[in-house]
């Protein structure tokens, strides 16, 4: 592989105003990439060829994949997610009972009592599990679905559990996805395996946003049910990709070392956390000249 430029201390680009980015996902997802959407547009528009397929192997809330589908930035989009609860939502919306889910959301009388009772019930089918997942995502602090997450207490303006429950908005997002779901495929499975299976394809691009557990970081293990990942193996597999890719990662020394090892390009990007703290994340790719 040709060695590409590597900047040891790249200057971060300005912070994106996420209020200007259309909200497409029904999830309030920890580690979501709404702030990165304008960079995704830049990346894909900088390419000489139109991607036949856009693959997101660690999709989560899938805001990036949804944006690509809505804005027709690739011919087709494949969303991949391992977590069975998150997967139940995408199965239901992309492959199943999306209208039922949207109506269930708007007709649900949300109170502390109904929340606890609903989440305590066994889910007998995929749509029921999808509704429970959306409900939990909206009433848990930070949208965290992993075991041990607590409920919202005071919330915005003292609204408590209802502070993140926007039933009409959630319904509309689901109904909007229905309009573009012929451009989307969903795969419940291991993202690393999906990369391996499609690495030979020169017509595919990958947006890779793995759990942030490299270099001793613990955010991923706290936020996600499935956070164990062999980051060194991930980089090795990514190095076999024939097409293009963009990785976003925590700004950690280990990631710079892995990027150097495989001659990948890097660029820091400024962002704000959910608590409005200014931070930087690391973009990694074959050539990030478009991101300078």
């Amino acid at each position: 592989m040709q060695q590409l430029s590597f900047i040891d201390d790249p200057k971060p680009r300005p912070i994106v105003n996420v209020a200007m980015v259309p909200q497409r996902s029904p999830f309030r997802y920890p580690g979501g990439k709404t702030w990165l959407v304008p960079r995704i547009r830049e990346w894909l528009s900088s390419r000489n060829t139109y991607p036949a397929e856009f693959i997101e192997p660690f999709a989560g809330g899938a805001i990036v994949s949804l944006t690509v589908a809505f804005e027709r930035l690739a011919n087709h989009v494949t969303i991949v997610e391992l977590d069975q609860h998150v997967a139940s939502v995408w199965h239901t919306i992309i492959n199943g009972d999306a209208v039922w889910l949207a109506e269930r959301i708007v007709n649900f009388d949300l109170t502390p009592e109904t929340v606890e009772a609903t989440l305590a019930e066994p889910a007998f089918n995929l749509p029921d599990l999808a509704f429970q997942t959306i409900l939990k995502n909206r009433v848990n602090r930070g949208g965290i679905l992993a075991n041990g997450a607590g409920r919202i207490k005071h919330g915005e303006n003292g609204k408590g559990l209802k502070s993140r429950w926007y039933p009409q908005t959630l319904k509309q997002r689901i109904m909007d996805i229905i309009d573009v779901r012929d451009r989307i495929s969903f795969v419940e499975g291991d993202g690393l395996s999906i990369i391996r299976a499609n690495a030979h394809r020169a017509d595919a691009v990958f947006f890779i946003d793995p759990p942030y557990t490299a270099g001793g970081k613990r955010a991923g293990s706290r936020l996600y049910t499935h956070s164990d990942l062999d980051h060194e193996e991930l980089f090795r597999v990514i190095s076999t990709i024939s097409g293009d890719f963009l990785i976003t990662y925590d700004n950690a020394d280990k990631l710079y070392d892995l990027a150097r090892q495989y001659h990948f390009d890097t660029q820091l990007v400024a962002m704000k956390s959910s608590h409005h703290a200014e931070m930087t994340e690391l973009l990694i790719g074959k050539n990030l000249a478009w991101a300078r």
Side-chain angles (χ1 to χ4, degrees):
M1 180 181 296
Q2 180 184 1
Q3 183 165 348
L4 300 171
S5 61
F6 187 94
I7 298 178
D8 289 325
D9 188 21
K11 183 179 179 181
R13 296 278 298 277
I15 294 174
V16 168
N17 181 2
V18 296
M20 304 301 292
V21 178
Q23 302 295 310
R24 304 291 191 185
S25 177
F27 284 99
R28 178 181 175 231
Y29 210 77
K33 288 297 178 289
T34 302
W35 61 272
L36 191 63
V37 163
R39 311 298 186 223
I40 298 294
R41 295 179 183 134
E42 290 179 49
W43 167 43
L44 294 177
S45 64
S46 73
R47 292 172 38 80
N48 294 326
T49 57
Y50 196 68
E53 188 164 9
F54 181 94
I55 302 173
E56 187 172 0
F58 306 96
I63 180 59
V64 170
S65 285
L66 291 174
T67 298
V68 172
F70 274 96
E71 299 182 11
R72 296 181 180 271
L73 300 177
N75 287 332
H76 196 76
V77 172
T78 295
I79 297 173
V80 184
E81 176 56 46
L82 181 62
D83 184 284
Q84 71 171 117
H85 295 89
V86 178
S88 71
V89 175
W90 295 124
H91 274 306
T92 300
I93 295 176
I94 304 301
N95 303 320
D97 299 315
V99 174
W100 178 91
L101 179 60
E103 293 299 328
R104 181 79 171 90
I105 289 170
V106 293
N107 291 317
F108 184 69
D109 180 21
L110 190 146
T111 68
E113 293 75 23
T114 58
V115 165
E116 296 307 322
T118 301
L119 295 182
E121 295 174 355
F124 292 109
N125 54 51
L126 207 60
D128 282 342
L129 182 59
F131 175 72
Q132 288 182 338
T133 301
I134 289 292
L135 180 61
K136 185 183 292 186
N137 174 252
R138 288 285 160 176
V139 300
N140 279 4
R141 286 198 298 269
I144 299 172
L145 292 170
N147 291 334
R151 302 275 190 263
I152 294 172
K153 292 184 179 179
H154 301 292
E156 293 180 352
N157 301 318
K159 292 182 179 179
L161 291 180
K162 290 187 176 181
S163 66
R164 295 293 183 179
W165 185 248
Y166 313 119
Q168 290 295 338
T169 298
L170 293 172
K171 176 183 177 179
Q172 189 59 56
R173 290 184 189 177
I174 292 170
M175 300 306 291
D176 288 344
I177 295 171
I178 290 175
D179 291 338
V180 300
R181 65 183 177 183
D182 61 322
R183 304 174 208 157
I184 304 172
S185 297
F186 175 68
V187 176
E188 181 177 357
D190 174 55
L192 199 55
S193 297
I194 297 299
I195 299 173
R196 289 192 187 100
N198 291 276
H200 67 284
R201 296 180 53 190
D203 64 344
V205 301
F206 299 79
F207 172 64
I208 301 167
D209 180 31
Y212 288 2
T213 53
K217 299 293 182 178
R218 296 183 178 180
S221 58
R222 179 176 58 85
L223 298 176
Y224 312 120
T225 302
H226 298 280
S227 60
D228 291 336
L229 181 65
D230 185 337
H231 296 274
E232 294 184 8
E233 174 63 8
L234 174 63
F235 270 75
R236 190 198 66 77
V237 172
I238 290 171
S239 72
T240 69
I241 289 175
S242 296
D244 202 3
F245 63 83
L246 181 66
I247 314 170
T248 181
Y249 249 124
D250 197 30
N251 183 14
D253 290 342
K254 180 176 180 179
L255 281 313
Y256 281 101
D257 293 339
L258 286 169
R260 287 190 183 95
Q261 179 180 341
Y262 289 100
H263 310 301
F264 295 157
D265 200 1
T266 63
Q267 174 69 30
L268 287 178
V269 178
M271 54 88 69
K272 284 187 178 180
S273 72
S274 57
H275 300 290
H276 305 291
E278 293 190 8
M279 304 170 64
T280 54
E281 291 206 7
L282 184 64
L283 298 185
I284 303 172
K286 287 188 174 182
N287 188 336
L288 301 182
W290 58 268
R292 307 287 187 236

